[in-house]
């Protein structure tokens, strides 16, 4: 075998593994959003103020970083419009999710939101020609089952909350799939910078329209905004975007279901929330889904099935 081919394959596998690690890290940081949301409500910081300040600060920080590095950021008009549109979609997702908490418990809202991996996998199979392998199917089952266990037990709520978080899940599907396409030709940081602009416009207009936008009034408010901006927004979005540049959108969506596990662990440690055997079992299932979605495990599962005589549907007659 050509040594150059082996090296290329090794680099490709390393790149995909790095992509999975980046998405998992981003998901872990995104898992802090629920904690910041709970702390904001306790501090009487409105959703409109929290989201607007969060994305204004994140946008300013990212653009300052790119300009200081001299990173090329010019885009064609059509590409620019798509990037800003993805930002508006992401902004809508954030607004819908946070507002759904007025009717839903955090557990129920998270459960409905995290149905988006199924949607991304189906959309990616149709629009991006990404195959749905046995390992991915098993990972989806484990991920959704784990999310159901981890976030289950919350109180039921009214139809408005379910509609809002359902729309948030659809918006996240559109954003994840669209981002996978865009980062094929646009550097991840540049992509994130333009997405942030679209998000900022969306949440700012929402804050003004809702009439609940105000200046943070206490040091605690500013501390929460700083935390959600850096830990819950800027770093995880950059990690997730960089990961998408290395792995398929369906794989990224599956491994990112580790986010609810982070929320549960932080809730137990920081807010004194209960930790039950059901939550523990759900956590194991989520971690199993991350392992099943990894490239090495996926190849191993496919190889084992091949030795047993199974072939993918498209290859069965080949």
């Amino acid at each position: 075998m050509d040594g150059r081919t082996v090296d290329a394959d090794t680099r490709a596998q390393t790149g995909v593994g790095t992509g999975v690690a980046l998405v998992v890290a981003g998901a872990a940081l995104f898992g802090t959003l629920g904690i910041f949301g709970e702390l904001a409500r306790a501090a009487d910081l409105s959703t409109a103020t929290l989201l607007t300040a969060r994305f204004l600060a994140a946008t300013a920080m990212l653009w300052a970083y790119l300009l200081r590095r001299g990173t090329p950021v010019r885009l064609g008009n059509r590409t620019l419009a798509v990037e800003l549109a993805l930002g508006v979609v992401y902004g809508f997702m954030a607004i819908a999710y946070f507002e759904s908490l007025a009717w839903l418990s955090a557990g129920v809202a998270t459960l409905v939101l995290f149905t988006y991996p199924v949607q991304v996998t189906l959309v990616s199979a149709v629009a991006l020609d990404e195959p749905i392998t046995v390992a991915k199917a098993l990972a989806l089952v484990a991920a959704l089952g784990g999310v159901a266990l981890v976030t289950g037990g919350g109180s039921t709520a009214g139809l408005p909350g379910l509609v809002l978080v359902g729309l948030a899940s659809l918006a996240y599907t559109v954003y994840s799939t669209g981002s996978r396409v865009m980062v094929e030709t646009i550097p991840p940081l540049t992509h994130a910078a333009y997405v942030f602009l679209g998000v900022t416009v969306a949440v700012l207009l929402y804050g003004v329209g809702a009439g609940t936008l105000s200046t943070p009034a206490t040091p605690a408010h500013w501390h929460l905004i700083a935390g959600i901006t850096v830990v819950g927004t800027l770093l995880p979005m950059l990690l997730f975007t960089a990961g998408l540049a290395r792995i398929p959108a369906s794989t990224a969506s599956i491994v990112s279901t580790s986010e609810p596990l982070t929320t549960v662990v932080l809730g137990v440690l920081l807010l004194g929330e209960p930790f039950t055997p059901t939550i523990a079992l759900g956590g194991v299932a989520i971690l199993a889904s991350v392992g099943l979605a990894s490239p090495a495990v996926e190849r191993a599962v496919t190889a084992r099935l091949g030795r047993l005589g199974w072939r993918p549907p498209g290859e069965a007659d080949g």
Side-chain angles (χ1 to χ4, degrees):
M1 182 179 293
D2 190 340
R4 290 172 297 180
T5 302
V6 174
D7 289 342
D9 290 343
T10 300
R11 287 194 297 270
Q13 293 171 15
T14 301
V16 173
T18 300
V20 170
L22 288 169
V23 171
V24 170
L29 291 180
F30 271 131
T32 65
L33 289 174
I35 304 302
F36 283 115
E38 292 288 349
L39 294 174
R41 283 194 293 274
D44 294 324
L45 181 62
S46 72
T47 296
T49 300
L50 179 68
L51 290 180
T52 301
R54 166 193 177 191
F55 286 109
L56 277 172
T59 301
M61 292 171 65
L62 180 55
W63 276 94
Y65 174 73
L66 291 177
L67 293 175
R68 183 173 182 179
R69 290 185 58 189
T71 303
V73 293
R74 300 195 70 173
L75 300 177
N77 291 338
R78 185 175 179 178
T79 303
L80 173 61
V82 173
E83 291 282 37
L84 294 178
L86 285 174
V88 171
V89 169
Y90 191 94
F92 173 80
M93 182 276 295
I95 293 166
Y97 174 72
F98 274 85
E99 288 297 355
S100 75
L101 297 178
W103 291 275
L104 298 174
S105 69
V108 172
T110 304
L111 173 60
V112 178
L113 178 65
F114 273 82
T115 60
Y116 85 89
V118 178
Q119 302 169 45
V120 171
T121 299
L122 295 177
V123 170
S124 297
V126 174
L128 304 180
D129 294 324
E130 294 179 4
I132 302 178
T133 64
V134 172
K136 280 182 181 177
L138 292 174
L140 280 170
V141 172
L144 295 178
V147 169
L149 289 169
V150 166
T151 61
S155 61
T156 58
L159 181 61
L162 291 173
V163 170
L164 281 172
V165 77
L167 291 173
S169 182
L170 289 173
Y172 208 1
T173 299
V174 174
Y175 169 76
S176 296
T177 306
S179 292
R180 177 69 180 97
V181 174
M182 298 307 292
V183 297
E184 290 179 354
T185 57
I186 299 172
L189 289 180
T190 302
H191 164 74
Y194 282 103
V195 166
F196 275 14
L197 285 177
V199 176
T200 301
V201 170
V203 298
L204 184 59
L205 290 176
Y206 162 73
V208 172
T212 56
L213 186 63
S214 61
T215 302
T218 68
H221 288 177
W222 288 109
H223 292 157
L224 287 170
I225 289 169
I228 199 171
T229 297
V230 177
V231 178
T233 305
L234 189 60
L235 289 177
M237 193 168 190
L238 294 177
L239 289 168
F240 186 76
T241 302
L244 276 177
R246 295 169 170 84
I247 60 177
S250 55
T251 301
S253 66
I254 294 169
V255 300
S256 67
T257 55
S258 56
E259 179 180 329
L261 182 59
T262 302
T263 305
V264 169
V265 171
L266 290 178
V268 171
L269 295 178
L270 301 179
L271 303 178
E273 295 178 352
F275 185 74
T276 66
T278 300
I279 291 176
L281 181 60
V284 171
I286 290 172
L287 292 176
S289 76
V290 175
L292 284 168
S294 69
V297 173
E298 187 171 352
R299 287 193 299 272
V301 170
T302 302
R304 177 60 62 87
L305 289 173
R307 288 194 290 272
L308 294 175
W310 183 90
R311 293 290 184 274
E315 300 178 8
D317 300 326

